[in-house]
Amino acid sequence: LAGPINFRRYSIEETHAQEICKCVGVEYDGKIPNMLPPFFVPSTLLSIVEERGMGIEGINLSMNYDFLADVKLGTLQVDIFPTRKPRQRKNENGEVSYIYKFKTLCSQETKPVTYGEIVCLSKNEINL
């Protein structure tokens, strides 16, 4: 993949791990659920849209991720890579929306922990 269009760094704290475990109904045992890194992807996409002066709105249509390594407390980097030009979609009222597909990579200390794809729908065309 070519260079990312954007990236963000987040801090994973123990309270995050406890909250995600509580949310999915499992007991926190000191291990961070692998599903936590993909939760940061929509936040990263929304911050890109906000930086470009667009409205912060959209819908995640699908997310598909492979878990490559255990996640640890500390810094997580989320890289976003565009994979194609947006496709136009018209609803029954004739309003145009745009479908975007992105590859994403979540890593810790330059080691990939999660890799996958997110497909989103937005009313705005975003200049990437």
Side-chain angles (χ1 to χ4, degrees):
L1 293 175
I5 58 167
N6 214 319
F7 72 92
R8 289 284 182 279
R9 289 192 178 103
Y10 301 93
S11 178
I12 297 179
E13 310 286 332
E14 191 167 28
T15 55
H16 296 130
Q18 292 169 343
E19 286 298 314
I20 189 69
C21 287
K22 183 178 172 184
C23 182
V24 297
V26 297
E27 195 71 32
Y28 176 65
D29 62 0
K31 188 174 179 181
I32 298 171
N34 286 336
M35 68 183 81
L36 183 58
F39 288 0
F40 291 99
V41 171
S43 298
T44 303
L45 287 169
L46 288 172
S47 65
I48 293 169
V49 171
E50 183 180 38
E51 281 177 0
R52 296 172 194 246
M54 313 297 283
I56 302 178
E57 59 182 293
I59 300 169
N60 291 339
L61 299 175
S62 68
M63 293 176 75
N64 184 21
Y65 283 88
D66 292 324
F67 305 104
L68 308 172
D70 289 335
V71 183
K72 300 177 182 125
L73 298 177
T75 302
L76 176 79
Q77 180 167 315
V78 177
D79 295 304
I80 305 289
F81 303 87
T83 59
R84 67 173 186 223
K85 292 183 179 184
R87 291 189 318 202
Q88 284 190 2
R89 176 175 157 187
K90 289 185 181 180
N91 68 14
E92 61 276 355
N93 298 328
E95 298 169 332
V96 175
S97 296
Y98 299 89
I99 298 176
Y100 293 89
K101 184 188 270 188
F102 300 97
K103 296 287 185 186
T104 66
L105 177 67
C106 301
S107 57
Q108 288 187 306
E109 299 174 2
T110 70
K111 179 182 177 183
V113 294
T114 305
Y115 174 76
E117 177 180 272
I118 183 170
V119 179
C120 310
L121 178 79
S122 175
K123 291 181 182 180
N124 300 316
E125 187 171 11
I126 304 165
N127 181 14
L128 302 172

